[in-house]
Amino acid sequence: MLAQTSVPTPKESSLFADARTRLDRALKYVSMSEDALGRLKYPKASLCVSIPVRMDNGSLSVFQGYRVRYDDTRGPGKGGVRYHPNVSMDEVQSLAFWMTFKCALLNLPFGGAKGGIALNPKELSRQELERLSRGYIDAIADFIGPDIDILAPDVYTNATIMGWMMDQYSIIKRKVSPAVVTGKPVMMGGSQGRESATAMGAYYAIATLLPKFDLIPEQTTVAIQGFGNVGGILADVLWQAGYKVVAVSDSQGGLYAEQGLDIPSLRQYKAERKTMKAVYCQDTVCNVVEHQTISNEELLTLDVDILIPAALENQITELNAADIQAKYIFEVANGPINSAADRILEDRGIYVFPDILINAGGVTVSYFEWVQNRSGLYWNLEKVNQRLKERMVEETENTWKIGKELDVSMRAAAYIHALNRLGEALDAKGTRDYYLNGH
């Protein structure tokens, strides 16, 4: 039966409602039972916890934490944990929803999950962050596990924080449990290549797609919003491949240089001084080069070939979509373009390559780490990157093929591809037609 209805939810909030609308167009092309659609109405489980933390000055602060496991039909939940002031149940539920489709799109044996704590991590000391991270695991330990729900780094969390979380879970369970968390330090069972996985996956997708438009790196200009772990590494990889990276930004603002930025020098300068400046470095000597200081909002509207939002969600909306000049947008952040802006960009002939494909390198190498933890056999960086490249290229080509065959956007094609896999898994447990027609 060809489903024509969207996936409803009984209590829609703004971000989640917007996330859900992405499925509407895809569902017109997917044969999915009403049973399967019904099971996608609700998250499998949602948890809201309070985390009391004794601060360095002796005071007690209580933080709000969340974990949502949206679907586990294809395997245990999988998703990151973010530390950010804007974390809410609405945001976490939306991100878990997206993760469900991302894992299906990349054909990973996982469902979608996500977690987070509402705070500004820059205001906490390292000791306070450790107590907070361990307190979060204390609160959710019965909700997660290597066969239930596996954590990973996300916005403002890193390998060290993941190591604390894995260690705390192991203490609670009284056994070493490395597979409960991915993105850990390598010496604690982490995978080679995990830190660079999201950026490398995005690069493999970009390198697969751009030749279809007869673009060559040396003649292609790039602007990247977000110069953190993912955006900074991706900028470096693109620069090394010959792309002309003319603009980057972080939470404090951005830099633009028409002649192109020297990305390795910029990354070195930021690592040493915790601030960005357009420089050219030789060894320890860095000289400032000609550039303009721009805002994050200005970066989005630059006249470049490729725009890469690699920061937070809802950066391109109906308010600024008409000002976007880039010809190709690769979503490295989760949900950087809302559904209203999607329609405007599509009408203007701008190609948007969706987050559930482009940033899937992180969860793919998280899967590799989980497999290595469970088998006790560990791979070198070359093997990790080769397997990541094979997976990203294969699913990018599959999504491109669906888009061309059905004459739909890459976002719709990605959701169609994921929905087909999800529908098959959901229906395998039995449908209305199966039970009515059974003998």
Side-chain angles (χ1 to χ4, degrees), residues 66-283:
Y66 307 92
R67 189 70 187 175
V68 172
R69 188 162 65 253
Y70 200 91
D71 181 79
D72 58 7
T73 307
R74 289 172 50 86
K78 186 75 187 76
V81 180
R82 61 175 49 186
Y83 289 178
H84 193 273
N86 295 335
V87 166
S88 64
M89 182 58 79
D90 176 27
E91 179 186 55
V92 171
Q93 179 172 268
S94 301
L95 293 166
F97 181 77
W98 280 320
M99 279 297 297
T100 300
F101 296 96
K102 186 185 300 183
C103 291
L105 177 64
L106 270 291
N107 204 19
L108 305 177
F110 292 137
K114 210 73 175 186
I117 304 174
L119 82 153
N120 181 354
K122 297 178 182 179
E123 295 176 352
L124 273 66
S125 71
R126 290 183 177 180
Q127 292 86 350
E128 290 167 341
L129 280 174
E130 179 176 3
R131 291 194 285 272
L132 173 72
S133 302
R134 291 181 181 274
Y136 178 64
I137 297 303
D138 286 342
I140 70 168
D142 294 333
F143 195 78
I144 61 174
D147 298 303
I148 302 169
D149 184 358
I150 303 125
L151 281 57
D154 200 272
V155 176
Y156 291 128
T157 55
N158 55 27
T160 299
I161 292 172
M162 293 302 108
W164 292 333
M165 290 183 175
M166 186 276 282
D167 183 59
Q168 190 65 22
Y169 182 85
S170 297
I171 290 170
I172 293 168
K173 298 299 181 181
R174 296 186 179 275
K175 62 179 180 179
V176 178
S177 306
V180 71
V181 171
T182 60
K184 307 176 293 294
V186 171
M187 295 308 294
M188 295 180 70
S191 176
Q192 297 284 348
R194 176 58 185 87
E195 185 175 354
S196 61
T198 303
M200 292 305 301
Y203 171 72
Y204 294 138
I206 291 169
T208 301
L209 290 163
L210 287 189
K212 301 180 187 303
F213 301 95
D214 297 323
L215 292 178
I216 60 173
E218 290 75 15
Q219 298 174 10
T220 304
T221 55
V222 182
I224 302 178
Q225 185 201 42
F227 201 66
N229 179 49
V230 175
I233 294 173
L234 180 55
D236 205 343
V237 173
L238 290 170
W239 184 88
Q240 298 287 352
Y243 291 84
K244 191 175 180 181
V245 182
V246 298
V248 296
S249 68
D250 63 10
S251 59
Q252 304 302 312
L255 306 170
Y256 171 72
E258 185 178 355
Q259 72 276 15
L261 295 162
D262 186 80
I263 298 300
S265 295
L266 205 163
R267 293 188 73 204
Q268 175 186 329
Y269 189 92
K270 183 176 181 180
E272 293 172 353
R273 297 169 174 81
K274 308 303 180 186
T275 186
M276 287 207 312
K277 187 167 286 189
V279 293
Y280 175 74
C281 297
Q282 287 185 309
D283 296 323

Side-chain angles (χ1 to χ4, degrees), residues 74 100-109 355-361 363-364 367 388 390-396 399 414 417-418 421:
R74 289 172 50 86
T100 300
F101 296 96
K102 186 185 300 183
C103 291
L105 177 64
L106 270 291
N107 204 19
L108 305 177
D355 48 2
I356 64 169
L357 172 64
I358 302 303
N359 70 19
V363 70
T364 301
Y367 164 55
L388 172 61
E390 290 171 358
R391 185 72 63 114
M392 290 298 302
V393 170
E394 178 182 6
E395 300 305 344
T396 298
T399 304
H417 194 21
R421 285 178 172 154

